[in-house]
Amino acid sequence: MSTVAILYPGHSAEDEFALLESRIPDARFPVIHTWEGSTDHDVEALLALGARDLLEPPAKEAAQAGADSVMWACTSGSFVYGWEGCHEQAGWVASASGAPSSSTSLAFAEAARHLGLTRVSVAATYPEDVATHFADFLRDGGATVTALSTYDVPSGEDAGLLGPEWVLETARAADLAGAEALLIPDTALHTMTVLTQLEDALGLPVLTANQVTAWQGLRLAGHPAVAPGLGRLFEAR
């Protein structure tokens, strides 16, 4: 059994990790909340959300729970720190937990490398100024962002209220010209139940926030991270 502790801010789509436990029987994804307030899609608020003093206490709690790995499950609360800062942030979590650690943003970059992707389109819930940080982060990680769509969803709580049909419509509306995959960030967005539909509709790999978070956490825990129904990422060894 592999235990991946999920450090999660606020309350929106954390139920996706319980769903993942039902899909991957030899894995556990205990959710530890890092923050009980709102998760606004605002750069300054997101920098505060990913601050060291907020991440270290739950990381220590993850250690006490016997986590094999720890994931900071917040895309925007990690990429706003930039490429180098994001690695430093993961280091804070690793030092506090004593376990291999990463974040959703780093997981996106690693998943893209794993699938051999160099050109990606992004469909983001965030306002444009926030989403631009994600595009910059991906470019620093070696991926060309061919198109960036933004939807001005004001907070994680608002994103958590968006249903699967919104995700499908957003994916279908994305500009995929020249792209090898579509990336949909935001761990507050429910996407796990429509991964297969998304990839069937687009004919391309689709990477979503909670999907890559679980995948990276499992790999760090020594799990093969292979499972049916969770998109091409979980099919590729």
Side-chain angles (χ1 to χ4, degrees):
M1 179 69 71
S2 297
T3 299
V4 180
I6 303 297
L7 306 189
Y8 195 94
H11 297 271
S12 45
E14 66 268 38
D15 55 323
E16 295 218 303
F17 293 100
L19 174 62
L20 280 161
E21 288 184 353
S22 71
R23 300 279 188 90
I24 311 172
D26 57 347
R28 293 181 61 249
F29 299 94
V31 174
I32 301 171
H33 290 280
T34 64
W35 173 253
E36 293 294 336
S38 63
T39 53
D40 296 336
H41 289 158
D42 169 82
V43 172
E44 291 303 317
L46 292 167
L47 286 168
L49 199 65
R52 188 170 189 165
D53 62 343
L54 282 187
L55 296 184
E56 284 186 333
K60 292 175 181 177
E61 187 178 338
Q64 295 169 359
D68 298 305
S69 65
V70 183
M71 294 297 297
W72 165 223
C74 184
T75 328
S76 52
S78 47
F79 67 65
V80 290
Y81 278 78
W83 183 256
E84 296 299 330
C86 199
H87 283 84
E88 290 179 10
Q89 189 184 56
W92 304 337
V93 175
S95 295
S97 67
S101 304
S102 188
S103 67
T104 303
S105 293
L106 292 173
F108 268 113
E110 185 61 31
R113 282 193 293 269
H114 184 72
L115 293 177
L117 305 173
T118 59
R119 298 175 61 81
V120 300
S121 178
V122 174
T125 56
Y126 318 119
E128 185 175 1
D129 65 324
V130 174
T132 298
H133 283 271
F134 186 50
D136 292 342
F137 174 87
L138 292 171
R139 291 187 185 104
D140 288 343
T144 297
V145 177
T146 59
L148 175 62
S149 304
T150 61
Y151 286 88
D152 293 311
V153 178
S155 72
E157 290 72 40
D158 292 296
L161 298 175
L162 300 171
E165 193 56 43
W166 186 91
V167 177
L168 286 164
E169 290 176 2
T170 298
R172 292 188 186 107
D175 180 357
L176 300 177
E180 299 165 326
L182 176 66
L183 276 53
I184 306 177
D186 201 346
T187 54
L189 192 62
H190 290 87
T191 64
M192 300 306 301
T193 62
V194 292
L195 283 170
T196 300
Q197 288 174 265
L198 287 167
E199 293 190 332
D200 287 347
L202 303 185
L204 293 172
V206 177
L207 301 178
T208 71
N210 291 328
Q211 174 205 36
V212 301
T213 299
W215 175 83
Q216 177 74 334
L218 288 171
R219 283 163 53 88
L220 290 176
H223 189 284
V226 175
L230 297 176
R232 296 188 201 180
L233 178 63
F234 271 85
E235 297 170 0
R237 291 186 179 274

